[in-house]
Amino acid sequence: MKRSFFGVIISLYLVTGTVMAQTVTLDYFFNHETHQTKGGQTERFHYLWEDTANSGFSVWGDIFRSKGATLSRLDTAPTAANLKGTSVYIIVDPDSRKENPNPNYIQQADADNIARWVKAGGVLIMMANDSANVELNHFNLLAGKFGMHFNNDMQSHVIDDAHFEDGAVLINNNPVFKTSKKAFIKDACSIGLSGRAKPLLKAANGTAIAAITKYGKGTVIAIGDPWLYNEYVNGRLPAGFDNDKAAADLAVYVLSQCKLHPNRNMVN
Protein backbone atom coordinates (compact mmCIF):
# COMPACT_ATOMS: atom_id res chain seq x y z
CA MET A 1 0.00 0.00 0.00
CA LYS A 2 1.42 3.37 -0.99
CA ARG A 3 1.95 5.90 1.75
CA SER A 4 0.43 9.34 1.28
CA PHE A 5 2.64 12.42 1.11
CA PHE A 6 1.31 13.62 4.45
CA GLY A 7 1.94 10.19 5.94
CA VAL A 8 5.57 10.44 4.92
CA ILE A 9 5.84 13.92 6.41
CA ILE A 10 4.23 12.82 9.68
CA SER A 11 6.54 9.81 9.87
CA LEU A 12 9.55 12.01 9.24
CA TYR A 13 8.45 14.32 12.03
CA LEU A 14 7.95 11.42 14.47
CA VAL A 15 11.39 10.02 13.70
CA THR A 16 13.44 13.23 13.51
CA GLY A 17 11.32 15.88 15.19
CA THR A 18 11.60 18.07 12.11
CA VAL A 19 10.32 18.34 8.56
CA MET A 20 12.09 19.69 5.53
CA ALA A 21 11.79 23.49 5.35
CA GLN A 22 9.99 25.09 2.45
CA THR A 23 12.27 27.30 0.39
CA VAL A 24 11.25 30.84 -0.51
CA THR A 25 13.34 32.13 -3.41
CA LEU A 26 13.63 35.81 -4.27
CA ASP A 27 14.59 36.78 -7.82
CA TYR A 28 17.91 38.64 -8.07
CA PHE A 29 18.14 38.40 -11.88
CA PHE A 30 15.26 40.40 -13.36
CA ASN A 31 15.67 42.86 -10.48
CA HIS A 32 19.35 43.80 -10.39
CA GLU A 33 19.76 47.42 -9.29
CA THR A 34 23.02 48.91 -8.04
CA HIS A 35 24.16 52.18 -6.49
CA GLN A 36 27.40 53.74 -5.33
CA THR A 37 28.31 53.57 -1.66
CA LYS A 38 29.92 56.49 0.17
CA GLY A 39 33.23 54.72 -0.38
CA GLY A 40 32.66 54.67 -4.14
CA GLN A 41 31.91 50.96 -4.38
CA THR A 42 29.15 49.53 -6.55
CA GLU A 43 26.60 47.75 -4.38
CA ARG A 44 23.42 45.78 -5.02
CA PHE A 45 20.29 47.17 -3.38
CA HIS A 46 16.51 47.33 -3.62
CA TYR A 47 14.25 44.42 -2.66
CA LEU A 48 16.93 42.03 -1.38
CA TRP A 49 16.67 39.66 1.58
CA GLU A 50 19.92 40.91 3.10
CA ASP A 51 19.15 44.63 2.65
CA THR A 52 18.21 45.94 6.12
CA ALA A 53 17.63 49.52 4.95
CA ASN A 54 14.15 50.78 4.05
CA SER A 55 14.71 49.51 0.50
CA GLY A 56 15.17 45.87 1.52
CA PHE A 57 13.07 42.78 2.25
CA SER A 58 14.87 41.73 5.44
CA VAL A 59 11.78 42.16 7.64
CA TRP A 60 9.59 40.02 5.38
CA GLY A 61 12.41 37.51 5.14
CA ASP A 62 12.52 37.26 8.93
CA ILE A 63 8.76 36.65 8.93
CA PHE A 64 9.17 33.77 6.49
CA ARG A 65 11.94 32.33 8.66
CA SER A 66 9.73 32.61 11.75
CA LYS A 67 7.21 30.39 9.92
CA GLY A 68 9.87 27.73 9.36
CA ALA A 69 10.87 28.64 5.80
CA THR A 70 14.38 28.83 4.34
CA LEU A 71 15.33 31.84 2.22
CA SER A 72 17.16 31.62 -1.08
CA ARG A 73 18.03 33.82 -4.04
CA LEU A 74 18.11 33.17 -7.76
CA ASP A 75 20.80 35.13 -9.61
CA THR A 76 20.15 33.55 -13.01
CA ALA A 77 17.21 33.10 -15.34
CA PRO A 78 14.68 30.55 -14.07
CA THR A 79 14.94 27.07 -15.53
CA ALA A 80 13.41 23.74 -14.59
CA ALA A 81 16.69 22.80 -12.92
CA ASN A 82 17.14 25.89 -10.75
CA LEU A 83 13.47 26.17 -9.80
CA LYS A 84 13.41 22.56 -8.65
CA GLY A 85 14.56 23.56 -5.17
CA THR A 86 11.93 26.25 -4.64
CA SER A 87 8.48 26.22 -3.05
CA VAL A 88 7.71 29.95 -3.36
CA TYR A 89 9.27 32.14 -6.07
CA ILE A 90 9.00 35.92 -5.74
CA ILE A 91 9.72 38.34 -8.60
CA VAL A 92 9.73 42.03 -7.65
CA ASP A 93 10.02 45.15 -9.81
CA PRO A 94 11.84 43.87 -12.92
CA ASP A 95 14.38 46.42 -14.16
CA SER A 96 13.82 49.00 -16.85
CA ARG A 97 16.75 50.70 -18.57
CA LYS A 98 16.28 53.62 -16.19
CA GLU A 99 17.21 51.32 -13.31
CA ASN A 100 19.75 49.14 -15.08
CA PRO A 101 21.52 50.00 -18.35
CA ASN A 102 21.60 46.29 -19.23
CA PRO A 103 18.40 44.85 -17.80
CA ASN A 104 17.54 41.16 -17.84
CA TYR A 105 14.09 41.22 -19.38
CA ILE A 106 11.70 38.33 -18.83
CA GLN A 107 11.68 36.28 -22.04
CA GLN A 108 9.06 33.87 -23.37
CA ALA A 109 11.22 30.91 -22.35
CA ASP A 110 11.37 32.28 -18.79
CA ALA A 111 7.59 32.64 -18.69
CA ASP A 112 7.16 29.09 -20.02
CA ASN A 113 9.58 27.65 -17.44
CA ILE A 114 7.90 29.45 -14.55
CA ALA A 115 4.41 28.47 -15.72
CA ARG A 116 5.41 24.78 -15.85
CA TRP A 117 6.86 25.05 -12.34
CA VAL A 118 3.66 26.67 -11.02
CA LYS A 119 1.51 24.07 -12.73
CA ALA A 120 3.44 21.37 -10.91
CA GLY A 121 2.65 22.96 -7.54
CA GLY A 122 4.82 26.03 -7.04
CA VAL A 123 3.60 29.34 -5.63
CA LEU A 124 4.52 32.46 -7.62
CA ILE A 125 4.31 36.02 -6.27
CA MET A 126 4.69 38.79 -8.86
CA MET A 127 5.12 42.31 -7.46
CA ALA A 128 5.17 45.18 -9.96
CA ASN A 129 5.26 48.95 -9.39
CA ASP A 130 3.79 52.06 -10.92
CA SER A 131 4.57 52.09 -14.62
CA ALA A 132 7.27 54.78 -14.32
CA ASN A 133 9.37 52.51 -12.10
CA VAL A 134 9.07 49.01 -13.57
CA GLU A 135 9.39 47.26 -16.91
CA LEU A 136 5.91 45.96 -17.63
CA ASN A 137 5.98 44.80 -21.26
CA HIS A 138 8.09 41.74 -20.55
CA PHE A 139 6.65 41.21 -17.06
CA ASN A 140 3.26 40.85 -18.74
CA LEU A 141 4.59 37.93 -20.80
CA LEU A 142 4.63 36.09 -17.50
CA ALA A 143 1.50 37.62 -15.96
CA GLY A 144 -0.49 36.83 -19.10
CA LYS A 145 0.12 33.12 -18.56
CA PHE A 146 -2.23 33.35 -15.59
CA GLY A 147 -4.94 35.70 -16.88
CA MET A 148 -3.34 38.80 -15.39
CA HIS A 149 -2.06 42.04 -16.91
CA PHE A 150 -0.20 44.84 -15.12
CA ASN A 151 -1.64 48.10 -16.45
CA ASN A 152 0.31 51.20 -17.42
CA ASP A 153 -1.17 53.41 -14.69
CA MET A 154 -0.89 54.49 -11.07
CA GLN A 155 -3.47 53.83 -8.37
CA SER A 156 -3.61 55.08 -4.76
CA HIS A 157 -1.17 57.94 -5.32
CA VAL A 158 0.22 59.28 -2.05
CA ILE A 159 1.87 62.71 -2.15
CA ASP A 160 3.67 62.58 1.20
CA ASP A 161 3.49 61.28 4.76
CA ALA A 162 0.67 63.67 5.57
CA HIS A 163 -1.60 61.75 3.20
CA PHE A 164 -1.23 58.12 4.23
CA GLU A 165 -4.98 57.60 4.02
CA ASP A 166 -4.79 58.01 0.24
CA GLY A 167 -3.08 54.63 0.19
CA ALA A 168 -5.46 52.88 2.58
CA VAL A 169 -6.84 49.49 1.53
CA LEU A 170 -9.63 48.11 3.70
CA ILE A 171 -9.62 44.32 4.12
CA ASN A 172 -12.66 42.27 5.11
CA ASN A 173 -13.31 38.50 4.88
CA ASN A 174 -10.23 38.02 2.74
CA PRO A 175 -9.06 34.44 2.06
CA VAL A 176 -5.38 35.44 2.27
CA PHE A 177 -5.23 38.39 4.67
CA LYS A 178 -7.04 36.96 7.66
CA THR A 179 -5.65 39.11 10.49
CA SER A 180 -4.89 42.40 8.72
CA LYS A 181 -7.81 44.81 8.40
CA LYS A 182 -6.27 47.91 6.86
CA ALA A 183 -3.22 47.91 4.60
CA PHE A 184 -1.18 50.68 3.02
CA ILE A 185 -0.33 50.36 -0.68
CA LYS A 186 0.74 53.48 -2.57
CA ASP A 187 1.44 54.25 -6.22
CA ALA A 188 0.53 50.78 -7.47
CA CYS A 189 -0.43 49.78 -10.97
CA SER A 190 -3.84 48.19 -11.48
CA ILE A 191 -4.21 44.61 -12.69
CA GLY A 192 -6.48 43.50 -15.52
CA LEU A 193 -8.00 40.05 -15.02
CA SER A 194 -9.38 37.28 -17.19
CA GLY A 195 -10.14 33.59 -16.91
CA ARG A 196 -9.89 32.25 -13.36
CA ALA A 197 -7.95 35.24 -11.97
CA LYS A 198 -9.81 37.14 -9.24
CA PRO A 199 -9.22 40.41 -7.37
CA LEU A 200 -7.49 40.00 -4.01
CA LEU A 201 -7.16 43.64 -2.93
CA LYS A 202 -8.76 46.74 -4.41
CA ALA A 203 -7.90 50.43 -4.37
CA ALA A 204 -10.44 52.90 -3.01
CA ASN A 205 -11.84 53.38 -6.52
CA GLY A 206 -12.55 49.66 -6.88
CA THR A 207 -9.73 48.72 -9.25
CA ALA A 208 -7.80 45.54 -8.54
CA ILE A 209 -4.27 46.16 -7.26
CA ALA A 210 -3.71 42.57 -6.13
CA ALA A 211 -5.03 39.38 -7.68
CA ILE A 212 -4.93 35.63 -7.23
CA THR A 213 -5.49 32.54 -9.34
CA LYS A 214 -4.92 28.81 -9.28
CA TYR A 215 -2.89 27.33 -12.11
CA GLY A 216 -2.64 23.56 -12.24
CA LYS A 217 -1.54 22.46 -8.77
CA GLY A 218 -0.01 25.87 -8.08
CA THR A 219 -1.03 29.36 -7.02
CA VAL A 220 -0.20 32.77 -8.44
CA ILE A 221 -0.52 36.09 -6.62
CA ALA A 222 0.08 39.43 -8.36
CA ILE A 223 0.46 42.77 -6.57
CA GLY A 224 0.81 46.12 -8.32
CA ASP A 225 3.57 47.34 -5.99
CA PRO A 226 6.63 45.98 -4.15
CA TRP A 227 4.53 46.81 -1.09
CA LEU A 228 6.03 44.71 1.73
CA TYR A 229 9.58 46.06 1.69
CA ASN A 230 11.06 47.30 4.96
CA GLU A 231 9.86 50.90 4.77
CA TYR A 232 6.23 49.86 5.13
CA VAL A 233 6.50 46.96 7.58
CA ASN A 234 8.97 48.33 10.13
CA GLY A 235 6.63 50.45 12.25
CA ARG A 236 6.89 53.70 10.27
CA LEU A 237 3.22 53.72 9.27
CA PRO A 238 0.65 55.44 11.49
CA ALA A 239 -1.33 53.39 13.99
CA GLY A 240 -4.21 51.55 12.34
CA PHE A 241 -2.29 50.26 9.32
CA ASP A 242 -1.60 46.53 9.40
CA ASN A 243 1.17 46.00 6.84
CA ASP A 244 3.15 43.95 9.35
CA LYS A 245 0.16 41.64 9.81
CA ALA A 246 -0.41 41.57 6.04
CA ALA A 247 3.20 40.45 5.51
CA ALA A 248 2.69 37.63 8.01
CA ASP A 249 -0.70 36.71 6.54
CA LEU A 250 0.75 36.45 3.05
CA ALA A 251 3.70 34.37 4.27
CA VAL A 252 1.39 31.95 6.09
CA TYR A 253 -0.92 31.65 3.09
CA VAL A 254 1.70 30.99 0.42
CA LEU A 255 3.51 28.46 2.58
CA SER A 256 0.20 26.67 3.14
CA GLN A 257 -0.38 26.48 -0.62
CA CYS A 258 2.97 24.92 -1.51
CA LYS A 259 2.90 21.51 -3.13
CA LEU A 260 6.71 21.48 -3.47
CA HIS A 261 8.95 21.05 -0.44
CA PRO A 262 12.60 21.10 -1.44
CA ASN A 263 15.47 22.86 0.34
CA ARG A 264 18.45 24.51 -1.35
CA ASN A 265 20.48 27.73 -1.77
CA MET A 266 20.13 28.82 1.85
CA VAL A 267 20.95 32.51 2.37
CA ASN A 268 21.95 32.09 6.01
Side-chain angles (χ1 to χ4, degrees):
M1 179 176 172
K2 292 184 178 179
R3 301 168 70 187
S4 71
F5 171 80
F6 289 106
V8 172
I9 291 298
I10 291 170
S11 298
L12 179 61
Y13 179 80
L14 291 174
V15 171
T16 68
T18 60
V19 296
M20 186 161 37
Q22 293 170 316
T23 299
V24 181
T25 297
L26 183 60
D27 162 66
Y28 281 40
F29 182 70
F30 303 118
N31 169 52
H32 192 113
E33 294 183 65
T34 61
H35 63 181
Q36 296 294 313
T37 67
K38 291 182 180 179
Q41 302 297 314
T42 299
E43 179 183 72
R44 287 288 306 273
F45 84 115
H46 236 172
Y47 315 130
L48 309 178
W49 289 137
E50 64 271 23
D51 184 355
T52 58
N54 278 347
S55 55
F57 267 136
S58 61
V59 174
W60 200 22
D62 287 343
I63 291 172
F64 274 112
R65 285 196 189 98
S66 75
K67 308 303 178 185
T70 296
L71 304 184
S72 71
R73 54 187 279 180
L74 185 56
D75 291 281
T76 58
T79 64
N82 60 31
L83 287 175
K84 186 178 180 180
T86 291
S87 301
V88 179
Y89 181 37
I90 305 172
I91 302 175
V92 185
D93 190 37
D95 294 338
S96 65
R97 291 196 183 277
K98 183 179 76 172
E99 299 165 317
N100 182 342
N102 297 293
N104 297 311
Y105 291 140
I106 295 174
Q107 303 297 319
Q108 189 63 57
D110 303 321
D112 292 342
N113 289 336
I114 295 169
R116 281 191 290 267
W117 170 82
V118 173
K119 191 174 184 179
V123 178
L124 172 67
I125 302 176
M126 299 179 291
M127 306 177 91
N129 211 331
D130 66 275
S131 58
N133 290 294
V134 66
E135 201 285 318
L136 291 181
N137 288 337
H138 291 84
F139 206 6
N140 278 324
L141 288 177
L142 177 59
K145 290 278 190 180
F146 314 109
M148 300 174 178
H149 183 90
F150 293 110
N151 294 318
N152 186 18
D153 61 11
M154 181 190 292
Q155 304 293 328
S156 303
H157 180 51
V158 177
I159 299 173
D160 54 34
D161 285 2
H163 297 83
F164 277 112
E165 287 298 327
D166 291 342
V169 176
L170 300 181
I171 303 172
N172 185 37
N173 294 323
N174 192 289
V176 175
F177 302 102
K178 294 185 176 180
T179 70
S180 46
K181 303 301 180 185
K182 183 181 179 182
F184 177 80
I185 304 178
K186 74 164 191 173
D187 295 358
C189 67
S190 64
I191 304 172
L193 305 174
S194 61
R196 299 177 64 187
K198 304 296 181 185
L200 184 59
L201 296 172
K202 294 182 179 181
N205 63 7
T207 59
I209 52 175
I212 187 169
T213 192
K214 296 293 184 180
Y215 186 80
K217 296 179 180 178
T219 303
V220 179
I221 293 175
I223 304 169
D225 186 70
W227 186 28
L228 296 175
Y229 56 100
N230 293 348
E231 184 174 2
Y232 296 111
V233 293
N234 63 4
R236 192 176 81 81
L237 292 173
F241 286 101
D242 296 330
N243 278 25
D244 54 343
K245 292 181 180 179
D249 285 343
L250 186 54
V252 168
Y253 181 81
V254 298
L255 292 173
S256 76
Q257 298 301 302
C258 292
K259 305 297 189 296
L260 306 171
H261 299 266
N263 188 3
R264 69 186 277 275
N265 292 344
M266 190 182 299
V267 170
N268 61 4

